[in-house]
Amino acid sequence: MSKAQSSAKQTDGFHLVVDALKMNSVSTMYGVVGIPITDLARLAQGNGIRFIAFRNEVAAGYAAAAAGYLTQRPGICLTVSAPGFLNGLVALANATTNCFPMILMSGSSEREIIDLKQGDYEELDQLAAARPYAKAAFRVDRPESIGIGVARAFRAALSGRPGGVYLDLPRELLHSTIDEAVGKASLFTVEAPAPSQIPSPDSIARALDLLKQAERPLIILGKGAAYAQADEQMRTFIEATGIPYLPMSMAKGLLPDDHPQSAAAARSLVLENADVAMLIGARLNWLLGHGQPPQWSPDCQFIQVDISAEEVDSNRPIAAPIVGDIKSAMNGLLAMMHPGDIEPRQAWRDTVSAKKKQNAEKLQAKLAVDSVPMDYFTALRTIRDVLAGHKGIFVVNEGANTLDNGRNILDMYEPRKRLDSGTWGVMGVGLGYAIAAAVESGSPVVAVEGDSAFGFSGMEIETICRYQLPIVVIVFNNNGVYRGDDVNNYSTDPAPTVFTKGSRYDKLIEAFGGTGYHAEDSATLSAALQQALNARRPALINCVIDPTAGTESGHLKSFN
Ligand code: ADP
Ligand code: TPW
């Protein structure tokens, strides 16, 4: 596009992008600057949009994805071309996999040079690269199309099953000019980007009929249920039916983990014995053994509440699909059910209760031991006890053993307060998720991180310090991936799973003005965490874990 002068007042792509984002209530962007988007970040700041500048786009993208999950608005990640874009794409793919709404906006280089592969600065066909990993991908070529481009990105990210959307912003577009009045008139606010999708009454009646006949019903809550923000309806339905429920890890806290109907402590028993299982915003993927024996009974019948019709029957035949948004579905179920219609058999409730009690006692025995050096049980019990005084706190959790044990031991009491490795079991999401949780809510966050998991995005502690976020990072330092005691029997190189022994991760945060703590026993860990939470300032606790305490691949040993 030419930069021809006109007597009328002109605007450019930079201004129009910022204006379009503002019209759609974007208040924060996450990213890393450089050619051609540095001025876009500056302009956004000048127009009241926060720009949280990261050290790596992967972490910025994870932050945007978490912001989307928490707010039901697409989180925005801004990157430079080619390598910056590819870093962001990792996070975009993860957002799509987790059904989080996110928009990756990347500057790109000259189209005509890319298309002829003539070798531009940071040349890459980004639109083509993004397509397989995004829910949708668009490029805006003309300034008068910016409003439409942003609208399409919003709608694709939020409507139906949420996901990651790529928006390609060529350098030429950002610099091109247009008559200001024409440009402004082309922008608009997206109306109802995630409209209600009301399931059909007959699908609800079919599901209720199945639940009425059930002897051993079970409800499974997934992170789709948490995302849907139908917290009251969910609780009312579960309590009115009396059905035991199992929260998937990020659905923990939708009802408080100490709720009497929680079957989390009897997970294997309820999966194996349920005769009717109702999935609410949860997929029958690997995290649920694909719905197959031996984890599940071959006779179990399924109800699935999901916004994506294509998800139904993906692993097992679904007897009663309810396709629609979860809030509308829960409203429909509550409206059509009658008191006393659905009642799990007393024998089933008793069996679940007995198993819960038995497993809780077993766990309690492990938690009661105060080991030095600390194992996962001692460290997590200590953290759990301190967090009992901070019930609404965000908990971010990643690692292998750190994650598997953390999921079971750290109780959640409020919805959408737990963020973890999610559907891919990805390492490196922790600091980005923690930053988004703190930025979007203004509330404190504890990130319980395996030392390997932490390392993927560890430099973001500088970001945490720069923005003075109330985040306490606890690094479970066992000197390695899974364990820290592996030996290489073949050469003098370190074994593939081990890290430098005796590392002091607490010293890292001190370099940026944060507070570092070093804990080798539970009393020191407890005091450090209390102090760090009270200070509401950036802190990192180097939590020394017995290098022999972990299991290779954590709970996924059989996948090796
Ligand atoms: P988990 O890992 O916790 O089991 P999943 O990510 O596998 O959960 O499943 C989430 C499901 O929730 C997806 O199938 C997605 O389509 C669905 N979902 C997301 N948002 C909504 C919504 N608002 N209404 C209905 N279903 C939703
Ligand atoms: C992006 C593979 C799964 S778990 C893990 C790795 C590297 C680290 C486990 O060690 P950590 O926790 O964090 O110290 P702990 O308590 O068991 O010692 N790359 C990516 N994602 C994954 N999942 C891997 C590699 C992996």
Side-chain angles (χ1 to χ4, degrees), residues 376-434:
Y376 291 91
F377 296 104
T378 296
L380 286 163
R381 183 250 303 150
T382 305
I383 296 168
R384 180 198 68 180
D385 290 349
V386 173
L387 296 188
H390 300 261
K391 281 192 167 163
I393 197 159
F394 281 95
V395 175
V396 172
N397 192 193
E398 61 173 338
N401 296 278
T402 308
L403 176 79
D404 292 333
N405 293 300
R407 185 171 52 227
N408 292 339
I409 297 169
L410 300 176
D411 289 333
M412 302 306 301
Y413 299 93
E414 292 180 9
R416 294 169 296 284
K417 289 289 171 75
R418 184 184 158 89
L419 297 159
D420 66 27
S421 306
T423 303
W424 264 351
V426 63
M427 297 298 115
V429 289
L431 296 202
Y433 281 7

Side-chain angles (χ1 to χ4, degrees), residues 99 161 222-224 227-228 248 281-283 285 306-307 324-326:
C99 315
R161 171 184 278 177
K223 57 182 167 316
Y227 174 78
M248 300 301 286
R283 286 170 283 188
N285 56 17
D306 206 292
I307 200 149
D325 76 273
I326 287 170

Side-chain angles (χ1 to χ4, degrees), residues 14-99:
F14 287 105
H15 286 84
L16 291 169
V17 169
V18 169
D19 289 347
L21 294 175
K22 278 197 76 175
M23 281 183 88
N24 286 288
S25 307
V26 171
S27 57
T28 307
M29 294 201 283
Y30 302 86
V32 177
V33 295
I35 298 170
I37 50 88
T38 313
D39 279 344
L40 194 61
R42 290 200 181 104
L43 199 65
Q45 283 187 329
N47 280 274
I49 295 179
R50 268 192 108 180
F51 183 79
I52 307 292
F54 276 66
R55 304 300 294 262
N56 187 307
E57 295 87 354
V58 189
Y62 288 144
Y69 169 70
L70 293 172
T71 63
Q72 291 186 328
R73 302 289 297 169
I76 312 282
C77 177
L78 185 64
T79 80
V80 302
S81 352
F85 154 79
L86 285 171
N87 282 342
L89 189 58
V90 172
L92 193 74
N94 181 62
T96 305
T97 301
N98 282 288
C99 315

Side-chain angles (χ1 to χ4, degrees), residues 15 30 49 135 154 157 162 182 259 262 321 389 397 406 429 444 448 460 500-502 549:
H15 286 84
Y30 302 86
I49 295 179
K135 186 180 171 195
F154 264 71
V182 173
H259 194 282
S262 168
N397 192 193
V429 289
V448 183
E460 302 304 339
T500 306
K501 299 207 185 317

